[in-house]
Amino acid sequence: MYRFPRVLIDGPYGAPAQDYKKYEVVLLVGLGIGATPMISIVKDIVHNIRSMAEDEDEELSSALENGVAINNKTSSPSPPNPITRENFKTKRAYFYWVTREQGSFDWFKGIMNEVAEMDHDHVIELHNYCTSVYEEGDARSALITMLQSLNHAKNGVDVVSGTRVKSHFAKPNWRSVYKHIAVNHNNARVGVFYCGAPALTKVLSQLASDFSHKTSTKFDFHKENF
C-alpha cells in the first residue's frame, strides 16, 4: 500500500516562541489575547508527542515486519522519522492564561477541551485565571467556588470557563509558580515564554533571573510580541 507523506505545519507563533522545542520544560504565559501564540504552542506540543508515540509504534511494527522479511530475504528500509528527540525535546509544559473577562474563555474553548482530551499522559498543566473574581478563599467568592467544585466533579466542566480546565480566581502568585517548577525540575533548563502587556514582562523576567541564581533550575525568559 502506498504511504502518503506526513505534512507538519507549526504556528502561528513568532520567532522567540519557535525555540520552545529545545527545552524539556516550558512555562507558557498568556495575558488576555496574548494567549493566542501560547495556545498554538500547547497544541503543537500535544501533536508532536502523539506523533512521536505513533512513529514509535510504526517503527516497532516495521521492525517486526522486517524481521520476517529478513528471514525471507526480502528486507526493505524503513521510512525516516520526521519528528525525533533531536528537534523536539519538550516533555513537560505549564500553561497560564490570565484574563479579566470571563467571556474571553470562549475564544479557545474548543481548543482547550481538545488539548485536555488529547493529553493522555498529562504532559501539559493548564491553568485559567479570571482576575475579575475575588481570589480563592475570599468569603465573597465562596459560593461560586463551591458551585464550581460541585459542577466540575459531577460533569467535568468548569462553570467559569465552560471548559474541562478548572479556573482559578484573581492573579497567579508568580513566585509560587516558579518555585513549583524549580522544585519539580531540579537541574533543568526551563524556557519561559510570555505574550501580553509589558507590565508583567519585568516581573516574569526578574523571577526567571532570581530563581536561576538561587536554585539549580535555570530559567530562560522570552518575550513574544503580538
Side-chain angles (χ1 to χ4, degrees):
M1 180 181 294
Y2 179 75
R3 299 186 64 180
F4 292 97
R6 176 178 292 166
V7 178
L8 304 178
I9 301 176
D10 289 343
Y13 40 79
Q18 292 178 16
D19 292 332
Y20 90 86
K21 296 179 183 179
K22 71 181 183 182
Y23 295 99
E24 290 192 359
V25 183
V26 294
L27 169 59
L28 310 171
V29 180
L31 198 61
I33 193 62
T36 303
M38 302 303 142
I39 285 285
S40 295
I41 295 176
V42 167
K43 285 192 66 178
D44 196 51
I45 291 172
V46 174
H47 169 75
N48 283 329
I49 289 175
R50 288 193 65 183
S51 294
M52 290 181 66
E54 290 171 1
D55 288 337
E56 289 176 359
D57 291 340
E58 288 181 8
E59 288 175 2
L60 178 59
S61 298
S62 178
L64 293 173
E65 291 174 2
N66 286 340
V68 174
I70 289 173
N71 291 333
N72 295 329
K73 299 182 180 180
T74 58
S75 176
S76 59
S78 299
N81 183 356
I83 302 176
T84 65
R85 277 294 174 199
E86 284 70 32
N87 54 34
F88 179 77
K89 298 181 178 179
T90 308
K91 297 179 180 177
R92 187 71 165 151
Y94 300 86
F95 171 64
Y96 285 79
W97 183 12
V98 184
T99 182
R100 177 170 178 75
E101 302 299 330
Q102 178 184 351
S104 299
F105 292 122
D106 289 336
W107 299 342
F108 305 112
K109 180 185 293 186
I111 296 175
M112 297 289 278
N113 283 330
E114 180 184 352
V115 170
E117 292 171 6
M118 290 172 61
D119 187 22
H120 301 299
D121 296 325
H122 305 291
V123 173
I124 303 172
E125 277 192 18
L126 300 172
H127 299 272
N128 291 337
Y129 277 80
C130 185
T131 61
S132 61
V133 181
Y134 294 108
E135 65 182 342
E136 295 165 17
D138 191 299
R140 290 166 292 186
S141 64
L143 178 59
I144 190 172
T145 300
M146 180 180 68
L147 293 174
Q148 179 193 39
S149 297
L150 289 172
N151 192 71
H152 197 276
K154 182 178 180 180
N155 303 312
V157 177
D158 182 68
V159 294
V160 178
S161 66
T163 72
R164 295 179 60 181
V165 182
K166 191 174 180 180
S167 298
H168 305 279
F169 306 132
K171 298 177 181 179
N173 183 325
W174 293 114
R175 181 168 292 278
S176 295
V177 171
Y178 274 81
K179 182 179 179 180
H180 171 73
I181 296 174
V183 168
N184 286 280
H185 302 282
N186 292 320
N187 301 310
R189 182 166 291 277
V190 180
V192 181
F193 297 90
Y194 169 65
C195 185
L200 191 55
T201 302
K202 185 177 181 180
V203 174
L204 296 177
S205 178
Q206 186 60 54
L207 285 171
S209 177
D210 291 346
F211 276 86
S212 293
H213 285 92
K214 296 177 181 178
T215 71
S216 63
T217 308
K218 307 305 176 187
F219 293 84
D220 295 338
F221 180 77
H222 304 268
K223 175 68 169 66
E224 179 78 3
N225 296 319
F226 286 105

